[in-house]
Amino acid sequence: MLKRFIAYYKPHKFMFAMDMLASLMISVIGMVYPIVTRRMLNDLIPNKKFRAVVFAGLIVLGLYVLRLLLRYFVQYYGHMVGTAMQAQMRRDMFAHLERLPFSFYDDNETGKIMTRLTSDLFDICELAHHGPENLIISTVMIIGSFIYLCTINIWLTLIIFACVPLLLFVSMRLRRRMRDAFADRRKSNAVINAAIESSISGIRVTKAYTNAEKEMEKFEVGNSQFVDACRRAYRAMAAFHSTSSFITDVFNVIILIAGGIFLYAGKIDFADYSAFIVSVNLFISPITTLINFMEQYQNGVTGFERFIEILDEEPETDSTNAVDIGDVKGHIELKDISYAYTTTEDGEEEKEVIDHLSLDIKQGETFALVGPSGGGKTTICHLIPHFYNVKKGTIQIDGKDIHDVTMESLRRNIGIVQQDIYLFNASIKENILYGRLDATDEEVVEAAKRANIHDYIMTLEDGYNTVIGERGVRLSGGQKQRLSIARVFLKNPPILILDEATSALDNTTEILIQKSLDDLCKGRTTLVVAHRLSTIKNADEIAVIAEGRIVEQGSHEELMAKGGMYSELYKLQFRANTGEDVA
């Protein structure tokens, strides 16, 4: 882990070296004052060399001005090095998150991921800057002050130094407790962020159902966990700091007693004893700094551990010999495929969602999947673009196994319109351009026209530059759906997947959207998952999926004639809509 952390220093090694050099000079300058103090007490003041006293004072003042500039450099440029490292880590994590499979996001809440991208990385940034700086300054100060104190009185110095192992022993024992407690606090903080993200995203539902109190209860669970975790963390921290401070206070008592005895016995004169008392802080202060640094160290280390947990997640990768799929015609074959979602940390799986299912969707054909919820229809839609890996069997596009082609080239040839439309908090134009980023303005307008959304856009004050809010909150359901259809028109893929694209819309809006979808489907191989069976009557082929298997398959007329599950479902929907029986 240390090697991976150090690697982030490499792009900034010059500025980091300058920062450490400045820190070293700050340490050296810090030792000047007690040295000058001793010289004054032993020589300049007793011998009344007042001009030398003033000159020495001015030298110290000049060095302190230099230390002022050095401290500014360390505080500014040192923090900027840490910030640059933080930005690179965030960049690496975000890029890795973009490559992770759907299964990762099935198991991890957005709020928890956000915590790792923000607060965790901030603590790493602080450690990256202050860690080496504190270590260098403290180490130099401890060694330098020890040598200097020995020049005053070696035995008194050794007595003080003998107490250091006790301080280190106690600190190490308490540090372990503090580390575990702070790790728990981070986890509980992530739980809070996840709860907040979920509640804010669903605030409209909460208000609609007047369930604010319920959301408060859910939030308070995580909030209470956080308070408990903080209580344990701060209890451990309090024990650590209070005990460490007590031991350093004992140092002063030892100096007072031992120094008094040495002074009484004539082993040290009053000037050296005074200089020793002034100088001993050079030895104690860096030790205290290292002790206090432990809290920051624990925050940074636990943050970095959580950072590399994400980076160590297995990303989506193409097979070794994967090739670009090339020009796609649109013939899709699912051959004896099976799939089950992994639901536990130890890899246990649910009952198979897809169970030895085979489909043959011809080029340019409209193929519909219908059936009860949970039957596996949406899973099929996710398997074809290789969002998940089939457990058994193969999926082929134009005779090529999707495992043998690059995911980027495969997905480039597939357009997806879903029930749950995600729109970015950006302009209408930017949202449509997501279908093909290099499209011209004319192509964007043409796509909007084909999706029957252009006329509405032109009624807006800012037209295509209108910002639509988070998740397109300023648009109606039908308008959101048309924008998503415009995206696919712009992408112009040979294969189209419509996953219950109109099921959330009212009947009138659905009829209008259906016209856009019919236009979109022309000349493409289309897989349709439909809740309303009336929308897929004209499909070339219909398969009824239940419990991961094909129960029936055929055209609308053929399935109605069979009088099976499809016929029953269709009749139930027809009666619900019209109140009449189907002959």
Side-chain angles (χ1 to χ4, degrees):
M1 186 174 74
L2 179 61
K3 186 176 181 181
R4 296 172 72 172
F5 183 72
I6 292 175
Y8 282 97
Y9 283 107
K10 288 183 179 178
H12 318 287
K13 53 188 176 184
F14 174 76
M15 192 56 66
F16 176 72
M18 295 299 294
D19 181 46
M20 293 302 101
L21 178 61
S23 299
L24 180 61
M25 292 177 67
I26 290 171
S27 303
V28 173
I29 291 173
M31 297 183 64
V32 171
Y33 182 76
I35 293 174
V36 172
T37 300
R38 186 188 181 196
R39 178 73 184 278
M40 284 186 173
L41 291 174
N42 282 329
D43 179 23
L44 302 182
I45 294 175
N47 295 318
K48 298 183 179 180
K49 298 178 181 179
F50 295 113
R51 184 174 295 180
V53 169
V54 174
F55 182 72
L58 291 174
I59 289 177
V60 172
L61 178 61
L63 290 174
Y64 282 176
V65 171
L66 176 60
R67 188 164 68 170
L68 165 70
L69 298 175
L70 291 171
R71 280 177 169 165
Y72 177 86
F73 181 89
V74 167
Q75 286 296 314
Y76 178 69
Y77 288 102
H79 275 104
M80 287 309 300
V81 168
T83 300
M85 292 173 63
Q86 179 188 12
Q88 184 58 51
M89 290 179 189
R90 185 174 290 115
R91 192 177 297 117
D92 290 347
M93 184 186 288
F94 185 80
H96 191 71
L97 287 168
E98 291 290 306
R99 296 194 299 269
L100 291 179
F102 271 34
S103 55
F104 173 81
Y105 297 98
D106 293 340
D107 301 330
N108 292 274
E109 295 175 83
T110 303
K112 292 181 179 180
I113 297 173
M114 289 296 298
T115 300
R116 302 196 186 203
L117 269 170
T118 51
S119 58
D120 283 4
L121 290 187
F122 175 77
D123 288 335
I124 298 171
C125 164
E126 289 294 290
L127 175 63
H129 165 51
H130 292 293
E133 175 192 320
N134 285 335
L135 287 174
I136 286 180
I137 292 177
S138 299
T139 301
V140 170
M141 291 288 286
I142 289 171
I143 295 173
S145 61
F146 178 77
I147 294 172
Y148 175 65
L149 290 172
C150 285
T151 65
I152 298 176
N153 189 289
I154 187 170
W155 296 110
L156 192 56
T157 302
L158 290 176
I159 290 172
I160 300 302
F161 188 74
C163 299
V164 173
L166 173 63
L167 178 62
L168 294 177
F169 173 75
V170 173
S171 298
M172 292 297 291
R173 289 291 300 269
L174 295 176
R175 182 179 70 86
R176 188 175 303 135
R177 288 173 51 194
M178 192 166 69
R179 179 195 62 197
D180 296 339
F182 272 92
D184 290 341
R185 191 185 72 163
R186 286 189 174 280
K187 292 176 182 176
S188 61
N189 188 40
V191 170
I192 286 182
N193 286 346
I196 292 173
E197 191 276 335
S198 176
S199 294
I200 292 176
S201 296
I203 190 67
R204 290 164 182 79
V205 177
T206 301
K207 288 182 176 295
Y209 287 91
T210 61
N211 280 333
E213 290 186 9
K214 178 63 178 178
E215 288 303 308
M216 278 300 302
E217 289 177 11
K218 289 160 60 179
F219 170 79
E220 200 54 47
V221 171
N223 206 29
S224 298
Q225 290 177 1
F226 179 73
V227 171
D228 291 340
C230 284
R231 183 179 293 110
R232 293 191 297 272
Y234 292 140
R235 184 183 294 123
M237 186 176 72
F240 179 85
H241 285 298
S242 59
T243 304
S244 301
S245 297
F246 173 75
I247 294 175
T248 57
D249 289 339
V250 170
F251 281 11
N252 292 317
V253 175
I254 293 172
I255 294 168
L256 183 66
I257 295 174
I261 293 172
F262 276 46
L263 186 64
Y264 179 79
K267 301 292 185 182
I268 189 172
D269 59 37
F270 186 78
D272 279 350
Y273 180 52
S274 299
F276 193 94
I277 291 176
V278 172
S279 304
V280 78
N281 283 326
L282 290 176
F283 183 69
I284 295 176
S285 293
I287 293 176
T288 304
T289 299
L290 288 178
I291 291 171
N292 294 334
F293 168 67
M294 286 297 179
E295 178 186 350
Q296 187 179 70
Y297 174 79
Q298 294 303 336
N299 280 335
V301 167
T302 53
F304 192 72
E305 286 173 349
R306 286 160 59 81
F307 166 72
I308 61 177
E309 275 181 15
I310 296 288
L311 291 191
D312 288 342
E313 287 285 339
E314 196 67 33
E316 281 186 328
T317 53
D318 295 320
S319 60
T320 306
N321 299 315
V323 297
D324 192 292
I325 197 170
D327 293 330
V328 171
K329 305 300 181 184
H331 183 199
I332 305 172
E333 291 181 274
L334 283 65
K335 297 183 176 181
D336 195 32
I337 65 167
S338 296
Y339 181 79
Y341 287 105
T342 302
T343 57
T344 60
E345 292 182 0
D346 56 5
E348 292 183 6
E349 296 177 344
E350 288 183 334
K351 178 183 176 182
E352 287 189 330
V353 180
I354 304 297
D355 186 13
H356 296 282
L357 181 143
S358 297
L359 287 175
D360 188 357
I361 306 172
K362 301 293 191 298
Q363 175 185 340
E365 183 176 69
T366 296
F367 197 106
L369 302 179
V370 300
S373 298
K377 303 183 296 298
T378 296
T379 299
I380 293 173
C381 294
H382 288 163
L383 291 175
I384 292 174
H386 206 169
F387 292 147
Y388 300 99
N389 290 315
V390 293
K391 307 299 180 181
K392 298 175 184 176
T394 61
I395 298 176
Q396 295 183 352
I397 306 291
D398 295 343
K400 298 175 183 176
D401 192 323
I402 63 171
H403 286 90
D404 297 331
V405 299
T406 62
M407 293 184 210
E408 192 277 335
S409 67
L410 172 67
R411 294 169 187 171
R412 188 175 62 233
N413 286 280
I414 299 175
I416 303 176
V417 181
Q418 296 173 300
Q419 173 185 342
D420 184 19
I421 301 302
Y422 190 91
L423 297 174
F424 297 94
N425 186 16
S427 69
I428 289 174
K429 176 184 174 182
E430 289 172 302
N431 272 282
I432 296 176
L433 271 173
Y434 217 74
R436 182 160 54 87
L437 297 177
D438 60 351
T440 65
D441 288 350
E442 291 76 15
E443 289 173 319
V444 170
V445 172
E446 180 59 26
K449 287 180 177 178
R450 297 185 68 184
N452 292 319
I453 188 69
H454 172 75
D455 291 341
Y456 167 74
I457 295 172
M458 297 312 295
T459 65
L460 302 173
E461 183 177 352
D462 295 324
Y464 281 84
N465 293 318
T466 301
V467 176
I468 59 177
E470 187 176 13
R471 298 184 69 92
V473 69
R474 295 173 187 152
L475 301 176
S476 69
Q479 290 161 352
K480 292 179 188 178
Q481 196 63 277
R482 290 180 193 180
L483 275 186
S484 72
I485 293 170
R487 271 183 192 167
V488 180
F489 268 122
L490 195 62
K491 186 176 183 180
N492 194 29
I495 296 174
L496 180 64
I497 296 176
L498 306 178
D499 186 5
E500 299 199 27
T502 62
S503 61
L505 306 176
D506 60 80
N507 289 333
T508 302
T509 304
E510 181 186 22
I511 293 171
L512 295 172
I513 297 296
Q514 194 62 49
K515 293 178 180 178
S516 299
L517 290 175
D518 290 342
D519 188 21
L520 181 62
C521 295
K522 290 177 182 176
R524 310 177 201 275
T525 302
T526 305
L527 179 65
V528 183
V529 174
H531 173 70
R532 293 173 182 164
L533 303 187
S534 59
T535 62
I536 48 92
K537 286 175 61 176
N538 298 324
D540 298 300
E541 194 81 4
I542 301 170
V544 181
I545 309 292
E547 297 184 353
R549 294 176 177 270
I550 297 176
V551 179
E552 297 175 327
Q553 185 172 336
S555 66
H556 171 75
E557 291 75 14
E558 291 170 344
L559 293 176
M560 289 298 291
K562 286 182 179 179
M565 181 181 289
Y566 178 85
S567 177
E568 288 299 316
L569 289 172
Y570 188 85
K571 290 175 181 178
L572 284 172
Q573 284 193 13
F574 189 88
R575 281 197 296 268
N577 292 331
T578 66
E580 300 177 9
D581 288 333
V582 180

